[in-house]
Amino acid sequence: MREGPDIARIASLVGDPARANMLNALMGGTALTASELALEAGVSLPTASSHLSKLMEGGLLTLASQGRHRYYGLASAQVAGMIEAIIGVAEAVGPKRVRPGPRDAAMRVARVCYDHLAGEQAVAMLDRLFDRKLLLREDSEIRLSSSGAAHFSALGIDIQARARRPVCRACLDWSVRRSHLAGTLGAAILDKIIAEKWARREKESRAVVFSPGGKREFERVFLA
Amino acid sequence: MREGPDIARIASLVGDPARANMLNALMGGTALTASELALEAGVSLPTASSHLSKLMEGGLLTLASQGRHRYYGLASAQVAGMIEAIIGVAEAVGPKRVRPGPRDAAMRVARVCYDHLAGEQAVAMLDRLFDRKLLLREDSEIRLSSSGAAHFSALGIDIQARARRPVCRACLDWSVRRSHLAGTLGAAILDKIIAEKWARREKESRAVVFSPGGKREFERVFLA
DNA sequence: GCGATGTTTCGACCACGATCGAAGCATCGA
DNA sequence: TCGATGCTTCGATCGTGGTCGAAACATCGC
């Protein structure tokens, strides 16, 4: 019972499912807003806010205020390392893999992440957009190339860079552990997918289900 | 959102003060009985028993029954590494360490981490072993070189690589924030240090205290 | 200024889990 | 066989902390 660093305090911060989901979402290194984290964690905005202030007070997060957006990120690589260590143990002791379930499987393939597409389809799409040089990696940023601007414009997706919100942003995918496309462009693409009826949003879920024809169209346009 | 290894489950196991104290006590590497752990955690026996079964179910502990005694120990070096990582974060964000205190200072210099040596001495040793090419970095792994195998063999440390547990592993040190050597080789070196009486283990603590002569010997052999 | 959007605070509710005493098992030494 | 010791299970209590709706606060575009 002797004193030491308060390890229980830190561990219990990670020990709540909602907070664990938030931290997991932040493991990609990109800072996220409170709303995005609320969606990732599957809790309401007030609840998420409460969790975030606890994580802040615990020193696990940093906060960058930009106007009315507040971007939360992991405080340090040390914190990320700790979470990796916990993930490692969880994987080692929990080979459970309880039957994925159909909704779960659908979620892995494609789902909504805030206002853009996530899941295997989205990750594949981002890869392909890089391959075709429609998007360019710049350090940790993503930029729209001139050919990309023309390409999306031809698809009826016009991005006016007016918004304070970045046009392109990488967003880490929990199921694939790689990035997919967020930002206004990501949102616009999801809008198009829904508008063209290539896919529909599953009720009461984040899953996005493509129709057979819609899937072909999507792949022709974005995965070609 | 959810899916993936259940990190919240693992973290919440560590997140209870009583359980955290137990795990901390077990970081010394010696298995302890339920009564000892109850005392260490400052809770009654029934409470401790309940905590222990939770830790067992979570896969964090191993149990060795010997007659009417039941010895609990950490399940693996991986679990120990996770706890070290959490301690590191707790130290970093922790409140204004009030005067380190002598025991704390001794812990920084050298201490037991599960079954191997940690602390400044251990970090310095790993650095030196790399310099002398007795160990080789390979990506994020550590490998024993042929000259290293010969060297340790000459010291009476024979490592049979058959074990499923890796021979060499890096383990992050909370006090120095750099790696020290874990794995069977790390354990064997600690065994030698104790067997040669170069150092003794402080009672009721993880600190390892070198004798003046032992320190010289250790430095001659491992830090030369 | 205005309404719209993003975020936090407040208040109230409720459940989970930590806790302990007493009783039940299990194993030891005779 | 017996009592003693080490540990776990049972049952009941209780407080901490997660949760959300409503409202307040902050900042933007206009």
Side-chain angles (χ1 to χ4, degrees):
Chain A
M1 169 105 135
R2 78 183 153 280
E3 280 308 316
D6 198 348
I7 122 174
R9 173 171 159 67
I10 300 300
S12 70
L13 282 174
V14 190
D16 175 84
R19 287 192 294 261
N21 284 330
M22 291 175 170
L23 292 169
N24 200 39
L26 291 171
M27 281 296 285
T30 51
L32 299 173
T33 66
S35 329
E36 290 170 315
L37 288 167
L39 273 164
E40 281 296 326
V43 294
S44 73
L45 249 161
T47 303
S49 184
S50 155
H51 284 310
L52 288 170
S53 52
K54 276 170 188 149
L55 289 170
M56 282 296 297
E57 195 173 354
L60 298 187
L61 297 186
T62 52
L63 173 58
S65 285
Q66 281 179 24
R68 55 185 160 182
H69 297 265
R70 312 192 71 182
Y71 286 92
Y72 290 91
L74 294 186
S76 67
Q78 191 184 24
V79 171
M82 173 188 75
I83 295 171
E84 279 283 331
I86 298 173
I87 290 175
V89 170
E91 274 180 348
V93 305
K96 305 183 170 183
R97 290 260 156 251
V98 278
R99 56 200 158 118
R103 175 164 307 157
D104 243 28
M107 291 262 285
R108 293 184 94 82
V109 174
R111 67 182 178 280
V112 172
C113 174
Y114 186 45
D115 60 359
H116 55 271
L117 195 68
E120 290 158 12
Q121 291 274 43
V123 171
M125 179 181 77
L126 181 56
D127 282 348
R128 199 66 193 94
L129 293 177
F130 282 133
D131 287 348
R132 295 164 73 184
K133 308 242 191 302
L134 300 178
L135 297 182
L136 306 172
R137 287 180 203 275
E138 283 197 345
D139 297 326
S140 59
E141 308 261 307
I142 299 178
R143 199 166 59 76
L144 185 64
S145 69
S146 52
S147 62
H151 180 262
F152 288 115
S153 183
L155 288 174
I157 296 176
D158 267 315
I159 299 297
Q160 51 278 46
R162 54 164 181 75
R164 224 164 257 286
R165 184 175 170 203
V167 173
C168 305
R169 250 193 55 236
C171 181
L172 193 74
D173 205 291
W174 58 253
S175 50
V176 191
R177 279 291 181 82
R178 294 179 48 212
S179 292
H180 57 246
L181 182 64
T184 51
L185 180 57
I189 290 175
L190 176 60
D191 284 347
K192 182 175 178 67
I193 290 168
I194 301 297
E196 299 275 358
K197 294 203 190 327
W198 291 346
R200 63 181 164 72
R201 297 198 46 177
E202 191 78 3
K203 272 232 187 310
E204 303 288 321
S205 157
R206 291 168 54 199
V208 171
V209 182
F210 281 80
S211 69
K215 186 158 189 293
R216 273 195 303 276
E217 280 301 299
F218 172 79
E219 288 173 351
R220 185 180 63 76
V221 175
F222 291 110
L223 297 183
Chain B
M1 185 158 105
R2 62 173 174 272
E3 182 63 26
D6 197 347
I7 117 173
R9 173 171 160 66
I10 300 301
S12 69
L13 282 174
V14 189
D16 176 83
R19 287 192 293 261
N21 284 329
M22 291 174 169
L23 291 168
N24 199 41
L26 290 172
M27 282 296 284
T30 51
L32 300 172
T33 65
S35 329
E36 292 171 312
L37 288 166
L39 194 65
E40 196 72 33
V43 294
S44 72
L45 243 163
T47 303
S49 184
S50 157
H51 285 310
L52 288 169
S53 53
K54 277 169 188 149
L55 289 170
M56 282 296 295
E57 195 174 355
L60 266 46
L61 298 186
T62 51
L63 173 59
S65 286
Q66 280 178 23
R68 56 183 159 182
H69 295 267
R70 312 191 71 181
Y71 287 93
Y72 290 93
L74 293 186
S76 66
Q78 190 183 27
V79 171
M82 172 188 76
I83 295 171
E84 279 273 333
I86 298 173
I87 291 175
V89 171
E91 283 263 321
V93 306
K96 3 284 177 218
R97 47 185 26 270
V98 275
R99 199 160 37 126
R103 176 165 306 157
D104 235 34
M107 291 263 284
R108 285 185 174 279
V109 173
R111 68 182 178 278
V112 172
C113 173
Y114 185 47
D115 61 358
H116 55 271
L117 194 68
E120 290 158 12
Q121 290 275 42
V123 170
M125 179 180 78
L126 181 56
D127 282 348
R128 200 67 194 92
L129 293 177
F130 282 134
D131 286 348
R132 294 165 72 186
K133 309 244 190 300
L134 299 177
L135 297 181
L136 306 173
R137 289 179 200 276
E138 282 197 344
D139 298 327
S140 59
E141 308 260 307
I142 299 177
R143 198 166 59 78
L144 186 63
S145 69
S146 52
S147 62
H151 179 262
F152 289 114
S153 185
L155 289 173
I157 296 175
D158 267 315
I159 300 298
Q160 53 278 38
R162 55 162 181 74
R164 287 175 34 187
R165 184 177 170 200
V167 172
C168 306
R169 246 195 58 239
C171 181
L172 195 71
D173 204 291
W174 58 253
S175 47
V176 192
R177 295 197 51 184
R178 294 180 48 212
S179 291
H180 58 246
L181 182 64
T184 51
L185 179 57
I189 290 176
L190 176 60
D191 284 347
K192 182 175 179 66
I193 288 167
I194 300 297
E196 299 275 358
K197 295 204 190 329
W198 291 346
R200 63 181 164 71
R201 298 198 38 183
E202 192 76 6
K203 269 239 186 299
E204 307 286 321
S205 158
R206 291 168 58 196
V208 171
V209 180
F210 282 79
S211 68
K215 186 160 191 290
R216 272 195 303 276
E217 278 302 300
F218 173 78
E219 288 173 351
R220 187 180 62 76
V221 175
F222 291 110
L223 297 183

